Amino acid sequence: MASSILTKSICDAMRRIAPPVLAGSWDNIGLILESPVKNASAAANRVLLTIDITPAVFDEAIASGASMIVSYHPPIFRGLKSLTLGNPLQGTLLRCAAAGISVYSPHSALDGVFGGINEWLTTCIGGDVEQLVALKWKKEFGSLGGDGRRVTFDPPISMEVLVGRIKKNLSLSQVQVGYSPVKPDRLVSSVAICAGSGGSVFSEMDKPADVWFTGELSHHEILAAVAAGTHVILCGHTNTERGYLPTLATKLKEELAAAAESDLGNVDIVISQSDAHPLEFA
């Protein structure tokens, strides 16, 4: 099967799963790298899903024979004046192109879409979710999704219960928590959710929340939040994203099956085993 057919099919399927119109204006999504080389591997119809393309993930892609990588984070985010082997991440992209591996990135479009990452994060909170609304809607595309999610609890739950649910469902032994002294009872009636780094989304909320649940915030964003009466739960940037990959794999398989392109053949969707959060607790 020609790699170009797979590349087009995966791009089309990913655009249906995560419509590009939902991406932030600051973002760089879509087909990031299109290799001009035909992948000669016997497993060239294999697609590798990952949060980031690191040298270890590239090695895994080569070993598995994949000819397409769907990388949640775009490996090229801002304009580049050069692509050189001297930069390890740029070198990885150059090696992808030489090996016949193309790259697609959905990033913020996958965050905001209904059924996407932010909505998946609501399931980590547990069974008392009463209401789910997007925090900041793109008005012209509101039927597709929006930025962030807001979950409410009635009756309220404790911060200790909320933190325990998040740790359990994200498979984390530790998270960082900022308790607001303004609310010493630590009861939670509402949680604002944003995958990755949520500061910019939280700053544009229509109404406040008792808790901000995200991957990371800047030092001053944390200080401002707790001073204003908002507790903060930080899980590590990619720890709020990686657990969604099995869901993405299922969605991608379903989209490819529904398209039923005769020239496509069977496509093997695999989740990277090398992709990992770059920081550990020592």
Side-chain angles (χ1 to χ4, degrees):
M1 179 185 64
S3 297
S4 60
I5 298 175
L6 178 66
T7 299
K8 180 181 183 304
S9 298
I10 295 299
C11 289
D12 289 345
M14 286 303 305
R15 292 184 188 110
R16 293 191 294 270
I17 293 169
V21 294
L22 288 174
S25 59
W26 46 268
D27 207 355
N28 185 33
I29 69 160
L31 183 60
I32 304 297
L33 174 68
E34 184 174 13
S35 173
V37 179
K38 181 178 179 180
N39 191 314
S41 168
N45 61 339
R46 182 165 293 154
V47 179
L48 185 68
L49 306 186
T50 185
I51 296 299
D52 293 295
I53 299 180
T54 62
V57 170
F58 168 75
D59 290 342
E60 181 183 5
I62 290 293
S64 69
S67 61
M68 187 86 188
I69 296 176
V70 175
S71 173
Y72 166 75
H73 286 137
I76 299 176
F77 196 73
R78 297 179 178 85
L80 297 174
K81 293 185 177 181
S82 63
L83 274 172
T84 69
L85 294 173
N87 180 301
L89 296 182
Q90 292 177 11
T92 296
L93 282 181
L94 290 170
R95 293 184 178 94
C96 281
I101 300 173
S102 298
V103 178
Y104 186 97
S105 295
H107 203 204
S108 58
L110 191 59
D111 290 344
V113 70
F114 287 127
I117 293 182
N118 283 327
E119 212 148 290
W120 165 75
L121 283 173
T122 67
T123 66
C124 298
I125 291 178
D128 295 327
V129 177
E130 181 183 70
Q131 181 182 357
L132 172 65
V133 296
L135 298 175
K136 186 183 69 171
W137 294 97
K138 293 178 171 55
K139 294 180 181 179
E140 65 272 39
F141 308 121
S143 62
L144 297 175
D147 295 341
R149 295 294 185 270
R150 187 174 187 274
V151 175
T152 61
F153 297 93
D154 185 15
I157 63 173
S158 70
M159 273 291 285
E160 289 70 23
V161 168
L162 179 61
V163 168
R165 292 178 182 178
I166 291 171
K167 289 167 63 176
K168 177 182 178 181
N169 290 303
L170 291 184
S171 300
L172 299 174
S173 61
Q174 301 180 72
V175 297
Q176 292 180 300
V177 181
Y179 294 107
S180 173
V182 179
K183 296 180 179 177
D185 62 6
R186 299 182 181 178
L187 292 178
V188 177
S189 296
S190 58
V191 181
I193 298 173
C194 184
S197 182
S200 61
V201 171
F202 296 151
S203 69
E204 298 186 22
M205 287 191 297
D206 293 333
K207 50 187 174 181
D210 295 325
V211 178
W212 288 0
F213 166 28
T214 187
E216 63 183 4
L217 293 169
S218 74
H219 174 72
H220 294 288
E221 287 169 339
I222 296 169
L223 290 180
V226 298
T230 300
H231 307 301
V232 172
I233 302 174
L234 306 180
C235 302
H237 190 114
T238 65
N239 289 331
T240 59
E241 301 158 343
R242 188 166 290 103
Y244 184 79
L245 291 179
T247 299
L248 178 58
T250 299
K251 287 179 176 289
L252 193 50
K253 290 174 185 176
E254 290 172 350
E255 285 291 339
L256 293 174
E261 298 181 35
S262 59
D263 294 333
L264 187 59
N266 294 323
V267 179
D268 188 18
I269 311 293
V270 297
I271 298 171
S272 172
Q273 300 301 303
S274 302
D275 178 52
H277 190 67
L279 297 176
E280 298 179 7
F281 289 100

